[in-house]
Amino acid sequence: MAGKTDFGPPFYKDLLPPVILKNYGQWKYHERVKPGVLKHVAESGDELYTIRVGSGRLVSTDWIRDVCGIADQFCGGHLRFTSRHNLEFLVSDKNQVEPLIAHLNKEGYAVGGTGHAISNPVHTQGWIHCHTPATDASGIVKAVMDDLYEYFADSKLPAYCRISLACCLNMCGAVHCSDIAILGIHRKPPHVNHDTVRAKCEIPNVIAACPTGAIRPDPKEKSLTVNEDKCMYCGNCYTMCPGMPLADPIGDGVSIWVGGKISSARTPPKFSRLVIPFLPNNPPRWPEVTSAVRNIVEIWATHAHKHERMGEWIDRIGWERFFDLTGIPFTVQLIDDFTLASETFRSTPTFKW
Amino acid sequence: MAGKTDFGPPFYKDLLPPVILKNYGQWKYHERVKPGVLKHVAESGDELYTIRVGSGRLVSTDWIRDVCGIADQFCGGHLRFTSRHNLEFLVSDKNQVEPLIAHLNKEGYAVGGTGHAISNPVHTQGWIHCHTPATDASGIVKAVMDDLYEYFADSKLPAYCRISLACCLNMCGAVHCSDIAILGIHRKPPHVNHDTVRAKCEIPNVIAACPTGAIRPDPKEKSLTVNEDKCMYCGNCYTMCPGMPLADPIGDGVSIWVGGKISSARTPPKFSRLVIPFLPNNPPRWPEVTSAVRNIVEIWATHAHKHERMGEWIDRIGWERFFDLTGIPFTVQLIDDFTLASETFRSTPTFKW
Amino acid sequence: MAKDSKTPLLDQLEEGPWPSFVTEIKRAAEKKDSAKDLLHQLERSYMDRIGHWKHGGIVGVKGYGGGVIGRYSDLPEEFPAVAEFHTLRVNMPSGWFYTTEKLRELCDVWDKHGSGLTNMHGATGDIILLGAPTNALQPCFDDLAEIGFDLGGSGSDMRTPSCCVGPGRCEYACIDTLDLLHSVTMEFQDELHRPMFPYKSKIKISGCPNDCVASVARSDFSVIGTWRDSIRVDSGEVTNYANEGMDIQAEVVDLCPTGCMKWDAGAKKLSIDDGECNRCMHCINLMPKALRPGKEKGATILVGGKAPIVRGALLSWVIVPFMKMEPPYTEFKELVRKIWEWWDENGKMRERLGELINRLGMRAFLKAVDLPPVPQMIRAPRANPYYFWDPEEVK
Amino acid sequence: MAKDSKTPLLDQLEEGPWPSFVTEIKRAAEKKDSAKDLLHQLERSYMDRIGHWKHGGIVGVKGYGGGVIGRYSDLPEEFPAVAEFHTLRVNMPSGWFYTTEKLRELCDVWDKHGSGLTNMHGATGDIILLGAPTNALQPCFDDLAEIGFDLGGSGSDMRTPSCCVGPGRCEYACIDTLDLLHSVTMEFQDELHRPMFPYKSKIKISGCPNDCVASVARSDFSVIGTWRDSIRVDSGEVTNYANEGMDIQAEVVDLCPTGCMKWDAGAKKLSIDDGECNRCMHCINLMPKALRPGKEKGATILVGGKAPIVRGALLSWVIVPFMKMEPPYTEFKELVRKIWEWWDENGKMRERLGELINRLGMRAFLKAVDLPPVPQMIRAPRANPYYFWDPEEVK
Ligand code: SRM
Ligand code: SRM
Ligand code: SRM
Ligand code: SRM
Ligand code: SF4
Ligand code: SF4
Ligand code: SF4
Ligand code: SF4
Ligand code: SF4
Ligand code: SF4
Ligand code: SF4
Ligand code: SF4
């Protein structure tokens, strides 16, 4: 078979459970039976129960075999994953729902994440596998979700609350439109290793890669220099050139962004916005991060109207009130100075004290 | 007295009528008595009536003497002008109000412009006195206001409607935040007159003045060339250098912008936005312009809620609906492609058909 | 319109209810050749659909670098009386208040030296004396000085500042706009009269957020009156408005942008959660007899407003949420000076203050002029992760 | 946590209710040295507060330019089993549906060649097989091919597209997301597997404006299902929701962004002015039994979404308000090709589609790909007067 290419992914129809094949595109409505459990009803009257289970995403083949075992037992050998990396058991026999949940509870699986909950944080590689991280991904996510577990297991928030994490501002976690985004940031310019630069890097490409024009040729060294005043630690140069690492135990850490949104329900998609410019990397449990996130979640949950997402709530009360209520200090880093900065300035004397 | 400088404008207190001097800063409330007439009542109980009169702004000393005569007769020799160049007669004796109005009507003055009206269009020099105009100012304003006179003389609109005009995109009329802005535009690049450029212009300054970088040195001519593809006819180069005129009978004309706002009442200030990219210069009465403006005013007046400014109405119904209702064709020029363009694109599938 | 009229196009603009500038030019033309030539050159423009003025050279009066706009006809042979046709910008009094006496003096001077045509007023606020030859400028200014009228700004200087009518006639005024304007104008006479900056700089002062002088859109420094405490409510008058037919729920409460008002239609009682009010003025505008701004008054200072040249129009941005505004306005004047200094040091030619802040960043600006960052400055925090750290902070 | 544990920091992450990735690594570590070294290198990172991976060189499998991310430890002496630790991106099936049989086959292959660790799934949607040495890549791929799993994208190619569950389980689906995804993936196998573009290009497909696959934020091509006709209303079910305690006025009508709904609480009657509805989904989301999308279904196409590198994050922009989406999806595929061609010709290295449109202007883009300008493309028209004219138009 060697040499076979471009045959594409497995054909989805071969993988769908019978109830879906039968009712494909003929779903009529759904109900949220209880946290972690959805019921979809087809035009035909057929029912499909979904039991959602939290996943650490970084899983072993043993874990996959475990959940396959469960799917064999309760779901006719079918399961799926969600766009946020949760696992979903697809049950067509209503009588299997409670036994499945009991089994899952017994085995310690995390059932939840539906409705007005905090679902699985989309996240990235961090120190597990990437070369540009400013923080770890899986570790913070684990710490944050342990802390916020009640909001995964129950649907008691005013609205959806999507938390995402990216370990550097490449933002593989697509955190930029999350209710709460946790973003690894570097705070020190790259340290130029001239030997590596000479050996491994195409100098014009590295210069071109810098969004702020901070990189200049260093003709003497046949290498590069960085104008440190202009560098905002994006790591673009490092992606182009291994001779410019910027990771640093003191410089690196985490920033918090809030109010983003993807769906167009009620209000259009929004970007998340910076509210805490830096929290230190404090493994294994990043207590500064978990408590900052919990504070924001809880202040929002207390003050928001029903169905009001984080960003919708802030739009209603105003950012000045957000900082007030959360007690988060307003610092100069939060004020934009990139390309579209002027759009974020306030051009009216109407604001709250 | 020659050589006296820096003595500043006349001291305002020397020019205020007695009723104002007495009640300065002690005004309690006002009423809009009828179109063109305001009544301000002071804490002391004193009353001040304002009768507002439209002005063409370009007036002769004879006219000034005329209105001074009226002010002597009815207002103890006091009058003022407004920030939109209307004339205001300040009457402290209630019994003079009706006689004054009768007199004004008899003499053909335009009384009105208060409340939910179309007040005097702020405008500029045009062909009267400037060197960069793409249209005339006073002529269009006269034609438009003749046409819309009913909305000046009466206060029958849903809300304020501020019309402004600027004869080139320097926007001396500060039209950029008007409910309806009439803006002169050039559509042809400057025609370079090498002799004048050599004689009168500082080449580096001219190059630097071009916002799009369209101007290059022409070493052969010791002058300049314009990359016509990059030129958007702002006239900046002409302001710096008389050797680059861009006025043209066919190229020049008028564009229409809507939905701007200055006050922070209800909603923050807004920029006006382009809805008609070009109408020809058709003096003396610019019929295309007057009918375009009337159409917009009337569609707005018919559809807006009470107290809803043009821009607030459009924000509520959406721009797609605005084009629908007004029948104005949507053309590619309306789509932004300047610095902040991406902020104006629609990032949601939610819109109206 | 006479058949043999020499201005058939313009003549059509003498008809209709709106006051006619053509009539005014004709009135002046009866006395002044320059006004007559202006009329005919304008008629030519109406035929040609093009202006007939040339770029102005630098003209002016002794001791001043600005205040006069030079202008030359491009058809000087045909219209010799407007071959030179410069305008003087004359600084108006605060709030555009006049006595008829003062205005007549002005007319006399202008009839003596110029075209007899004016703009009452220019878009910046000046009295525009429209058209005089070069040699008339100095004598005209000398006579103006005699009657106490000084020139306004032009070129790269502080332009003539302006203000709304404020305490002169408006019950909403939270600051003394007329006095502040006069004080500022007198303080900065040098900056007004002698171009010294990278580009023009404008100051406009409005007594409340209605911003009747459009400061937020067209001045580098926008001063807008506001208050820190609660709206003053006269419940009896609220009831009166309701009784007179105002739909307080629909017209007032539902349009309140912060949703901080409640109307109890049965009890005819209005309540305001003042902590959440953003002082937009809407409710006060609708019920001036019943509602008034609070008593702890001052101004919000915004900077950076401007028209599109060169990098796009800007609305001013909040940089000081609240400043007390009492004579002699030292805090405000010092802030203006400090900002001008920074702009002067860093601005490129033809770069307005707002554009400079955009180029160097709000942070650099705030640091340079020593203002603390507060959330009132922004509509929203940044959405991009491209922010800088001072090496001092990274320890 | 054992006192003599060699991973005291990571061990703390085995506690707590959320599933533990540490436990997973340990499980794999029981069988695989690479997993064990990963664990210990990670512990080191937790101590050092810094990553220990080096920039990856180019590694891959025969015939493909992408699909593998090279990765090397910067402590290869200490952790030799992860000295080379490349990941394979394996193209997932539409909607992430699996049979246990298929998954077990996958596990077997991966246990044979790699670390036994995976991401189910990567942020783009691939199955990530996390960590194998260079020499294992080809054999691993060969075995994957055997069981019908192909590689996904990496580098400057089309990335593995993804879609929401759509008609598989969701009553809101206005397009067949699963089928469209499969069809597109098969159509563009070459673009997926062989980097040929200025930079990466992503396609994501959501069945309705809820956008459960976050296409608007993280794909160059966002396909979002919608409808052209009216929301289907089952009045009886509306009444049921009301009877069951839903406050339809407050929860539904008041939150409708267009204000196009009315609720007659007495008659329990809901009416929708569908002409003004913008299909935001809110009311349908709240009352799925009572309200359903219309019947004339298709998709809105948006382009340009991306993360911040290099010029800032972008949300996708509407370029086709409505397109029918029926197999074989020719219109959509042709549009994608046309756009890629334009991007390929004009884009600089590392310039995503959205950035290119920003640089050259939406107008140039629309012209090049032959799409008519419509107001649905914009939130608002331009506010600046800096626009161009084609000399042809100026006559
Ligand atoms: C399974 C999944 C699709 C998939 O193909 O995997 C899915 C499934 C459903 N979504 Fe979703 N959404 C899924 C990711 C998303 C995402 C993407 C994301 O979070 O990254 C979004 C956009 C989030 C955002 O706006 O930031 C999303 C925004 C929605 C919304 C809009 C919520 C809002 O009010 O803004 C709804 C409507 C609702 O909740 O009633 C919705 C509704 C639904 C419904 C009720 C649709 C249906 O009728 O079946 C499904 C059950 C929701 C639930 O969890 O209670 N789904 N949904 C995804 C589950 C992810 C998870 O494991 O948690
Ligand atoms: C006289 C003048 C100030 C001056 O120093 O000259 C003035 C005077 C008043 N304005 Fe104004 N405004 C004046 C220009 C403006 C401007 C500037 C402009 O138009 O260029 C604005 C901003 C316009 C905008 O937002 O685009 C302005 C926005 C307002 C508003 C807010 C309207 C809104 O709802 O957005 C009010 C409140 C109201 O109308 O109740 C207001 C209210 C008032 C009041 C009622 C204030 C008072 O209590 O005395 C005055 C009478 C208004 C009337 O005409 O009915 N004034 N007002 C200006 C008259 C100009 C004219 O001749 O028409
Ligand atoms: C006379 C006046 C228009 C009028 O008919 O009222 C005027 C006339 C000119 N303006 Fe203006 N501007 C006038 C108020 C304005 C305003 C409104 C304001 O001040 O509130 C603005 C917009 C606000 C602002 O400054 O941003 C304005 C923005 C401009 C600009 C663009 C500035 C920018 O930064 O975008 C230019 C271009 C330039 O400076 O080269 C300009 C340039 C000019 C020049 C000097 C043309 C030039 O480039 O040489 C015009 C001379 C015309 C002439 O021959 O008399 N004028 N100009 C206004 C001054 C009268 C007065 O002093 O009272
Ligand atoms: C594995 C994955 C994160 C994860 O843990 O899930 C990932 C990992 C990397 N991404 Fe990513 N990206 C991953 C999804 C994303 C996403 C999300 C998405 O696709 O929906 C984004 C944001 C959406 C977008 O593309 O705009 C994303 C935006 C980036 C960027 C910034 C791109 C931009 O235009 O802003 C980079 C920087 C680059 O390309 O140099 C990047 C670069 C990288 C690199 C290749 C680092 C590099 O510069 O060499 C990372 C390799 C890590 C490793 O060693 O495995 N990755 N990356 C995701 C791919 C898994 C998969 O195939 O399923
Ligand atoms: S977000 Fe940055 S550090 Fe994290 S996986 Fe992506 S590129 Fe690597
Ligand atoms: S980290 Fe980013 S900003 Fe700094 S030098 Fe590298 S590319 Fe430029
Ligand atoms: S808008 Fe332009 S043409 Fe009109 S007066 Fe101002 S600079 Fe001159
Ligand atoms: S008109 Fe404006 S864009 Fe055109 S060349 Fe002159 S300065 Fe440049
Ligand atoms: S800005 Fe305010 S204080 Fe000044 S005139 Fe207008 S309403 Fe009165
Ligand atoms: S001033 Fe504006 S925000 Fe304050 S109560 Fe009145 S309407 Fe509401
Ligand atoms: S995007 Fe719409 S169709 Fe797709 S799963 Fe979400 S709600 Fe259903
Ligand atoms: S889909 Fe949205 S806009 Fe349409 S009726 Fe429902 S809530 Fe209103």
Side-chain angles (χ1 to χ4, degrees), chain D residues 160-214:
Chain D
T160 308
S162 72
C163 73
C164 78
V165 65
R169 196 191 57 205
C170 182
E171 71 273 26
Y172 301 152
C174 297
I175 53 177
D176 189 339
T177 56
L178 301 175
D179 190 56
L180 175 59
L181 179 69
H182 194 76
S183 177
V184 162
T185 309
M186 295 314 291
E187 174 85 14
F188 298 125
Q189 283 289 305
D190 194 24
E191 288 79 359
L192 177 63
H193 290 135
R194 282 154 214 107
M196 51 176 67
F197 294 139
Y199 200 11
K200 62 188 79 171
S201 182
K202 295 183 179 176
I203 301 178
K204 294 196 203 298
I205 302 164
S206 281
C208 82
N210 283 331
D211 197 4
C212 294
V213 76

Side-chain angles (χ1 to χ4, degrees), chain B residues 6 37 43 45 47 49 54 57 94 123 129 137 198 214 220 225 274 305 308 331 346:
Chain B
D6 297 330
V37 184
E43 302 277 6
E47 296 179 347
Y49 289 85
R57 193 182 81 122
K94 185 175 179 169
H123 64 275
H129 198 264
R198 273 190 300 268
K220 224 183 60 195
T225 49
L274 181 64
H305 294 167
E308 198 171 45
T331 69
R346 197 187 300 255

Side-chain angles (χ1 to χ4, degrees), chain D residues 63-136:
Chain D
Y64 284 9
V68 183
I69 303 295
R71 190 62 71 224
Y72 302 88
S73 171
D74 72 0
L75 303 168
E77 274 92 53
E78 275 173 83
F79 308 112
V82 294
E84 296 168 352
F85 197 66
H86 315 311
T87 59
L88 290 122
R89 292 183 176 172
V90 176
N91 198 344
M92 75 294 185
S94 282
W96 302 285
F97 280 96
Y98 295 95
T99 57
T100 53
E101 192 194 335
K102 209 78 220 150
L103 278 178
R104 286 202 184 86
E105 288 174 16
L106 191 69
C107 291
D108 292 343
V109 170
W110 188 231
D111 279 344
K112 181 168 157 204
H113 298 285
S115 67
L117 286 168
T118 73
N119 288 141
M120 296 300 279
H121 295 80
T124 306
D126 290 294
I127 303 163
I128 305 291
L129 301 180
L130 202 61
T134 313
N135 61 15

Side-chain angles (χ1 to χ4, degrees), chain B residues 30 40 80, chain C residues 163-167 169-175 177 205-214 224-225 281 285:
Chain B
H30 75 274
H40 284 81
R80 77 176 287 265
Chain C
C163 73
C164 77
V165 65
R169 196 189 59 204
C170 182
E171 71 273 25
Y172 301 152
C174 297
I175 52 175
T177 56
I205 301 163
S206 281
C208 81
N210 283 331
D211 197 2
C212 295
V213 76
I224 301 184
M281 292 297 297
N285 288 338

Side-chain angles (χ1 to χ4, degrees), chain C residues 324-361:
Chain C
K324 280 263 168 219
M325 277 292 168
E326 274 150 17
Y329 314 106
T330 316
E331 190 182 350
F332 175 66
K333 291 172 184 169
E334 276 174 7
L335 181 65
V336 171
R337 275 197 206 284
K338 214 190 269 186
I339 292 175
W340 274 340
E341 250 164 58
W342 178 76
W343 175 48
D344 203 29
E345 252 168 52
N346 296 283
K348 299 187 199 166
M349 202 185 61
R350 282 170 70 78
E351 184 172 50
R352 296 279 288 262
L353 176 59
E355 289 169 325
L356 176 64
I357 296 175
N358 261 344
R359 180 165 62 85
L360 297 188

Side-chain angles (χ1 to χ4, degrees), chain B residues 124-126 130-135 137 166-173, chain C residues 71:
Chain B
T124 48
Q125 295 299 331
C130 198
H131 68 292
T132 56
T135 190
C167 27
C168 86
L169 45 68
N170 283 341
M171 293 202 191
C172 297
Chain C
R71 190 62 70 223

Side-chain angles (χ1 to χ4, degrees), chain A residues 81-246:
Chain A
F81 293 85
T82 71
S83 62
R84 296 189 76 85
H85 317 308
N86 282 313
L87 173 64
E88 290 186 338
F89 292 105
L90 305 167
V91 184
S92 50
D93 175 359
K94 184 175 181 167
N95 298 321
Q96 294 283 30
V97 173
E98 285 307 325
L100 168 58
I101 294 175
H103 179 82
L104 289 170
N105 287 336
K106 194 183 62 164
E107 299 286 324
Y109 289 91
V111 176
T114 58
H116 289 185
I118 292 178
S119 185
N120 203 344
V122 166
H123 64 275
T124 48
Q125 295 297 332
W127 294 333
I128 292 280
H129 199 263
C130 198
H131 67 293
T132 56
T135 190
D136 190 35
S138 312
I140 304 190
V141 163
K142 165 76 174 141
V144 165
M145 288 308 284
D146 279 346
D147 188 54
L148 296 179
Y149 188 71
E150 57 184 305
Y151 298 112
F152 177 84
D154 205 348
S155 310
K156 59 181 183 179
L157 291 169
Y160 265 44
C161 181
R162 301 302 202 178
I163 301 185
S164 307
L165 178 144
C167 28
C168 84
L169 44 70
N170 283 341
M171 293 202 190
C172 297
V175 306
H176 55 298
C177 301
S178 308
D179 296 275
I180 302 184
I182 305 171
L183 177 68
I185 59 152
H186 301 286
R187 294 186 302 163
K188 293 190 177 180
H191 176 85
V192 183
N193 181 325
H194 294 306
D195 294 336
T196 316
V197 171
R198 272 190 302 266
K200 303 210 172 154
C201 309
E202 292 185 42
I203 292 193
N205 287 352
V206 185
I207 293 175
C210 177
T212 65
I215 307 180
R216 291 267 171 78
D218 178 341
K220 224 184 61 196
E221 292 277 1
K222 295 201 169 139
S223 169
L224 297 161
T225 50
V226 174
N227 176 346
E228 307 211 339
D229 284 350
K230 277 188 162 182
C231 171
M232 40 54 172
Y233 343 104
C234 72
N236 252 296
C237 51
Y238 184 55
T239 294
M240 301 301 289
C241 168
M244 307 188 76
L246 30 61

Side-chain angles (χ1 to χ4, degrees), chain C residues 290-307:
Chain C
L291 306 180
R292 313 176 69 179
K295 293 187 142 181
E296 200 196 329
K297 294 171 174 175
T300 299
I301 317 288
L302 307 90
V303 301
K306 59 175 291 292

